Amino acid sequence: MHRPDARGYFGGAFGGKFVPEVLYEALAELERGMDAAFADPTFWNEYHALLRDFVGRPSPLMEATRLVEEAGAAKVLFKREDLNHTGAHKINNTVGQGLLARRMGKGRIIAETGAGQHGVATATIGAKLGIPVDVYMGALDVERQSLNVFVMKLLGAQVHSVTSGTQTLKDATNEAFREWAARVEDTFYVIGSVVGAHPYPFMVREFQKVIGIEARAQVLERYGRLPTDVVACVGGGSNAMGIFSGFIDDLDVRLWGVEAAGHGLDAGDTAASLNAGSIGILHGSRSYLLQTPEGQVSNTHSISAGLDYPGVGPEHAFLKESGRATYVSATDEEALRAYHRCAEREGIVPALESAHALAHAQKLARELGGKGLVLVNLSGRGDKDTRQVAALEER
Ligand SMILES: *Cc1c(COP(=O)(O)O)cnc(C)c1O
């Protein structure tokens, strides 16, 4: 199952638990609760029943017949996470953590959110399970993402606007940590990607692994062989770890993580932690991050809010160092081109995050030729981005 070691490190080097003392016991309690749940078939039965009836899984596998039209190019396949309830892969994880919160007897869920997608996914499961949800969000993001704030409120969540620091995700995360430390007994902290202190990166991966398990079976059934290449965008890295997990032991299958280069890796306006960052500690774990030579977390830029994060999950750092996965990047412009192409040629408006993966998948399909079978994780749908794209292109 590729578990990190007892101290929470992948490959002995990435991960860990860099948290204040009060949270150390909270993490230990979470790990005990998680281990008990993971060993209990009734927990997984409940999880899979909700994924089926509430989320709409299994998500389909679709051949993208027109995305790359050159004769002799590789086939491209989409794993349709955009068709999930709430429009992305994030719900797979919040369903799992919501059930765990209930099982552990926690009366309240907290979460932090940047663009609001994780906040909505958390508020959604809170409503379904009847657990109150408090969402922390930077004041600037509350303003920029007013629609998601409205949806969270519709779902019954309380949204707390965080006015400290840069008033964005970083500050919201600090506030959520503070709130957790203050009310450890009755509070479950739902983290939205494979980041944070152990056991979060492992736990979130296990909840997203369903993507890879389904996709592997679907490709085998339909094509009688495994894909040659699997491609996913990487922000914190949860949709990528989810699909990679299904193929991690199939050593002939190449795994590609696509980071957001923003304006370009050299331009400095980037969010590509593995390609342009260095090793350090952020939000409780040791991994790659974008930082200044003095170790201050850098400001990041990406056209896509979901990839605009200075860190990356520790297991990706390990997969990069071990060579099992390869990490490339796509610029804002490349992603935007892929976004339009997917809309026009496949009838799917993808999330801007997913468009980064599509940009690389197109390149691969042309290079590989007819032998290739390229599986892309279409992590989410693009409705949430249409206003932003329209504004960009009117200028
Ligand atoms: C949040 C989000 C991402 C980035 O998160 P990961 O943890 O890297 O998967 C990617 N795609 C969509 C659609 C998202 O909403």
Side-chain angles (χ1 to χ4, degrees):
M1 158 152 107
H2 299 282
R3 217 187 144 120
D5 66 25
R7 292 160 52 241
Y9 285 92
F10 292 94
F14 298 105
K17 301 188 202 186
F18 295 86
V19 296
E21 196 99 297
V22 286
L23 290 182
Y24 214 79
E25 178 45 38
L27 289 170
E29 184 196 352
L30 171 61
E31 191 169 355
R32 288 191 298 273
M34 175 193 76
D35 282 339
F38 281 10
D40 180 356
T42 63
F43 176 79
W44 290 113
N45 287 343
E46 270 191 296
Y47 164 80
H48 285 294
L50 274 178
L51 288 190
R52 184 192 61 211
D53 303 337
F54 187 56
V55 176
R57 302 202 73 92
S59 65
L61 180 79
M62 185 196 94
E63 193 168 316
T65 46
R66 297 203 330 117
L67 187 73
V68 183
E69 65 179 349
E70 287 85 339
K75 276 197 170 68
V76 176
L77 312 175
F78 288 172
K79 178 62 173 163
R80 299 287 310 275
E81 293 300 299
D82 61 308
L83 291 178
N84 293 339
H85 179 43
T86 69
H89 66 290
K90 285 192 170 75
I91 189 83
N92 303 324
N93 169 48
T94 58
V95 164
Q97 289 194 54
L99 286 172
L100 185 55
R102 189 174 70 181
R103 187 189 157 100
M104 289 174 69
K106 301 292 182 184
R108 177 175 81 129
I109 284 173
I110 62 170
E112 90 291 332
T113 195
Q117 298 300 113
H118 174 58
V120 169
T122 305
T124 299
I125 194 63
K128 182 73 182 135
L129 299 179
I131 306 175
V133 174
D134 286 295
V135 178
Y136 296 85
M137 192 168 182
L140 198 65
D141 291 331
V142 167
E143 216 168 283
R144 288 190 293 201
Q145 309 289 340
S146 55
L147 191 65
N148 275 338
V149 173
F150 182 69
V151 175
M152 284 182 250
K153 288 179 178 167
L154 277 180
L155 292 161
Q158 294 243 26
V159 181
H160 303 267
S161 175
V162 177
T163 53
S164 55
T166 55
Q167 314 198 348
T168 59
L169 178 61
K170 217 165 26 149
D171 315 288
T173 303
N174 292 338
E175 193 57 33
F177 266 108
R178 243 195 305 278
E179 187 59 28
W180 195 27
R183 282 179 60 177
V184 174
E185 318 74 45
D186 75 334
T187 300
F188 191 103
Y189 181 16
V190 174
I191 290 185
S193 189
V194 287
V195 298
H198 178 69
Y200 282 101
F202 165 69
M203 177 172 69
V204 175
R205 182 197 79 196
E206 290 302 294
F207 288 138
Q208 292 292 2
K209 196 157 121 184
V210 63
I211 305 171
I213 292 172
E214 281 177 13
R216 188 178 190 278
Q218 288 168 322
V219 176
L220 266 180
E221 191 206 11
R222 200 163 324 161
Y223 298 91
R225 60 177 176 131
L226 290 174
T228 55
D229 297 79
V230 175
V231 185
C233 64
V234 176
S238 68
N239 86 87
M241 276 320 310
I243 198 160
F244 287 1
S245 303
F247 302 92
I248 200 91
D249 295 323
D250 302 311
L251 296 179
D252 292 339
V253 178
R254 297 193 298 178
L255 307 176
W256 301 91
V258 187
E259 294 193 307
H263 294 143
L265 293 182
D266 308 326
D269 272 350
T270 181
S273 323
L274 290 162
N275 280 282
S278 53
I279 293 170
I281 290 161
L282 180 69
H283 296 149
S285 70
R286 184 169 185 273
S287 183
Y288 278 78
L289 64 134
L290 293 162
Q291 55 186 337
T292 66
E294 295 79 34
Q296 292 297 308
V297 178
S298 305
N299 290 324
T300 54
H301 166 79
S302 167
I303 191 175
S304 112
L307 303 184
D308 200 352
Y309 178 67
V312 65
E315 193 169 8
H316 285 293
F318 167 58
L319 293 180
K320 171 191 161 88
E321 299 243 320
S322 70
R324 177 65 189 93
T326 306
Y327 294 87
V328 295
S329 64
T331 63
D332 289 354
E333 203 182 314
E334 289 169 323
L336 205 52
R337 227 178 299 138
Y339 169 93
H340 281 292
R341 192 170 174 92
C342 183
E344 286 163 22
R345 306 191 67 97
E346 295 295 341
I348 297 170
V349 181
L352 282 173
E353 291 85 359
S354 320
H356 289 72
L358 293 173
H360 186 65
Q362 290 175 47
K363 250 184 247 176
L364 274 179
R366 296 194 181 98
E367 284 165 20
L368 286 168
K371 303 182 306 292
L373 192 57
V374 179
L375 171 65
V376 193
N377 199 17
L378 199 73
S379 56
R381 64 174 184 234
D383 313 35
K384 67 186 180 61
D385 301 321
T386 46
R387 270 211 301 193
Q388 181 194 350
V389 173
L392 264 173
E393 295 181 348
E394 266 168 22
R395 284 206 311 238

